[in-house]
Amino acid sequence: MIDTEAVAAIGEERIDWRFKGLPLAAEGRTIRQAAELGLNLFEDGFLGPVLTIDEAALEHNITTMAKWCADRGVELAPHAKTTMAPQLWARQLAAGGWGLTAASAAQLRVYRAFGVSRVILANQVTDVPALRWIDRERAEDPTFWLASFVDSPQVVDQMEACLREVGARPADVIVELGRTAGRAGARSVAEALEVARAVAASPLLRLVGVGGYEGVLVNDPSPHSLAVVSDFLARMRELTLLLHDADLFETDDIILTAGGSCFFDLVARAFAGPWPGMSVSTVVRSGCYITHDDGFYRWMSPFSRGEAEYGSLRPALRLWARVTSRPEPGLALLTAGKRDLSFDAWPPEPQLVRSADGSVRPLHDCVIKQVNDQHAFITLPPGQDLAIGDWAGLGMSYPCTAFDKWQLIPVLRGERVVDFVRTYF
């Protein structure tokens, strides 16, 4: 499923000025050697800001999600664009992952550099260079399997023309269902049937499943929103049955795939058997569960609203930044901004302060009210104080736009670094 030797080789890359936030003690050492130093995040020269991963929370989330999927008989193909970190992919796959999900050919190139052999590309692929490269990868590695999405007869025609131009072998595709004014996907079950018929008529495409993404339909966990999602998933199920009855699938094991990081519980419920006369594999594509967060997913995750027997997922990301200015009462500025932290969904959450004497205390009722390129503005209530040089620990919301700003991320047990995670955005 993944080339573990290639993943291990990440540890042999040497650390230099490209990796922000790291101390001089790591300079010139390999990633593996730097991890073996057991550096203290606050006492061994790290330069704030520094994004960190909590090892215990990371392991908890991986094992919790794996158990949840196994108990419900669904497969997990994490959307690996969340982290773009092969070391983390390897842990997800080792825990029982079915494969990985990608959104672009550029991401897929990283996956293939590390030998990932089973991928759902949850997007349309219609350009000749990408299809030529994919075909070459398939020819060179018979274990490599890929299925991409199609959502209109025009996409089918374009894909077929590109495959014919490069002389490619038949490619597996999944018909994508969407909704009016939504993102990609056929706008109705009837339109999706037309897409499937176009695939069936093509000698260069094979229909292997039905896909969709419910996460863009709603933005809250209200009963109304849950009903909207459930209705969409019911239409996906209906489409799957219609395609089977029309004998349009070209596989004995049909893939039915949905499930971001907010509604995978509804996906498992909607796609559960029975499937008379059919072999159907439900594949959820959740990605953000691996580090969870201190904002959007804390609010939206199924583990926060109905899967209590598994315990909550734990936020694993924290960004530490120095207090660099106290220009007026009730305001502190940190050495972290848009270049360093996620801010596009929910603002970061001030949680802890570590003072020069090594003491750590919680921050209460503090708010990030503004983020510039290199500064975060914290409003402080009366009685809450921060001193110049203090480390402030911020909880992150929305992992996808936290990871992409960091090439090398320390993994912590307590304050000690036990590993580094390399990303490839």
Side-chain angles (χ1 to χ4, degrees):
M1 296 290 285
I2 193 168
D3 185 342
T4 55
E5 291 185 0
V7 174
I10 292 171
E12 302 311 310
E13 183 176 5
R14 294 207 172 268
I15 295 173
D16 57 23
W17 48 267
R18 292 173 295 161
F19 303 112
K20 64 182 181 180
L22 300 190
L24 291 177
E27 190 89 5
R29 299 179 188 270
T30 66
I31 293 172
R32 176 182 55 79
Q33 290 169 342
E36 291 171 350
L37 293 175
L39 297 170
N40 184 288
L41 183 70
F42 305 106
E43 298 175 0
D44 289 325
F46 282 85
L47 308 173
V50 183
L51 182 68
T52 64
I53 300 174
D54 181 80
E55 167 62 27
L58 183 73
E59 181 61 22
H60 168 81
N61 295 344
I62 291 172
T63 57
T64 297
M65 187 65 174
K67 185 178 188 307
W68 186 92
C69 289
D71 288 350
R72 279 154 182 75
V74 303
E75 305 288 359
L76 176 61
H79 212 322
K81 71 177 176 64
T82 297
T83 66
M84 290 304 293
Q87 294 151 286
L88 300 184
W89 303 344
R91 293 176 66 162
Q92 292 171 294
L93 292 170
W98 176 89
L100 297 181
T101 300
S104 70
Q107 292 168 7
L108 183 61
R109 289 189 67 183
V110 181
Y111 294 22
R112 291 299 298 151
F114 290 91
V116 177
S117 59
R118 182 185 285 161
V119 181
I120 292 175
L121 206 164
N123 210 337
Q124 289 70 33
V125 184
T126 57
D127 56 289
V128 170
L131 290 168
R132 178 183 289 116
W133 173 76
I134 289 169
D135 186 62
R136 188 186 71 193
E137 289 291 302
R138 293 171 62 211
E140 292 177 353
D141 181 2
T143 69
F144 172 43
W145 177 87
L146 173 79
S148 61
F149 282 6
V150 291
D151 67 354
S152 71
Q154 293 76 23
V155 168
V156 171
D157 291 345
Q158 176 70 8
M159 194 172 182
E160 183 179 15
C162 291
L163 290 170
R164 186 174 290 110
E165 180 177 338
V166 303
R169 298 173 300 167
D172 289 349
V173 295
I174 293 170
V175 62
E176 181 183 9
L177 185 65
R179 76 164 186 177
T180 301
R183 205 167 67 177
R187 283 351 198 188
S188 68
V189 169
E191 290 181 20
L193 278 166
E194 289 304 310
V195 177
R197 292 189 181 100
V199 172
S202 170
L204 292 177
L205 298 175
R206 287 191 339 125
L207 184 63
V208 299
V210 170
Y213 178 47
E214 76 292 341
V216 291
L217 302 180
V218 296
N219 289 305
D220 64 69
S222 67
H224 171 74
S225 293
L226 297 181
V228 169
V229 171
S230 294
D231 178 69
F232 174 74
L233 298 172
R235 291 195 295 122
M236 288 185 63
R237 185 184 180 98
E238 175 192 0
L239 174 61
T240 305
L241 291 167
L242 289 171
L243 294 176
H244 177 260
D245 291 345
D247 198 25
L248 292 174
F249 287 117
E250 299 172 84
T251 177
D252 293 330
D253 188 8
I254 299 161
I255 294 169
L256 185 52
T257 178
S261 298
C262 294
F263 304 109
F264 51 81
D265 58 332
L266 302 184
V267 172
R269 193 175 309 149
F271 295 168
W275 293 93
M278 305 169 63
S279 174
V280 176
S281 294
T282 296
V283 181
V284 297
R285 307 193 304 272
S286 313
C288 293
Y289 78 89
I290 188 169
T291 56
H292 197 47
D293 76 357
D294 279 302
F296 182 74
Y297 289 109
R298 180 175 62 192
W299 180 50
M300 292 287 288
S301 171
F303 289 98
S304 299
R305 64 165 196 272
E307 303 297 329
E309 71 269 27
Y310 292 86
S312 298
L313 296 177
R314 301 174 187 171
L317 294 178
R318 179 169 285 147
L319 186 130
W320 290 92
R322 294 275 196 173
V323 178
T324 190
S325 177
R326 289 297 317 275
E328 60 187 67
L331 176 64
L333 284 92
L334 304 182
T335 57
K338 295 178 180 179
R339 302 290 190 261
D340 313 301
L341 48 77
S342 52
F343 62 91
D344 57 327
W346 288 21
E349 181 178 85
Q351 295 177 332
L352 299 172
V353 57
R354 189 186 192 277
S355 301
D357 62 4
S359 62
V360 179
R361 68 181 189 277
L363 289 172
H364 298 292
D365 302 319
C366 298
V367 178
I368 301 285
K369 70 170 186 176
Q370 184 179 344
V371 179
N372 291 164
D373 283 355
Q374 308 297 164
H375 293 89
F377 295 63
I378 298 184
T379 56
L380 305 173
Q384 191 74 263
D385 196 22
L386 291 173
I388 300 294
D390 282 351
W391 288 92
L394 308 179
M396 296 290 98
S397 179
Y398 204 59
C400 292
T401 50
F403 275 95
D404 68 351
K405 297 168 177 62
W406 295 86
Q407 294 185 63
L408 198 60
I409 306 172
V411 180
L412 302 182
R413 287 197 191 108
E415 295 185 353
R416 291 285 175 184
V417 176
V418 296
D419 201 357
F420 291 91
V421 166
R422 180 74 158 94
T423 67
Y424 297 88
F425 284 92

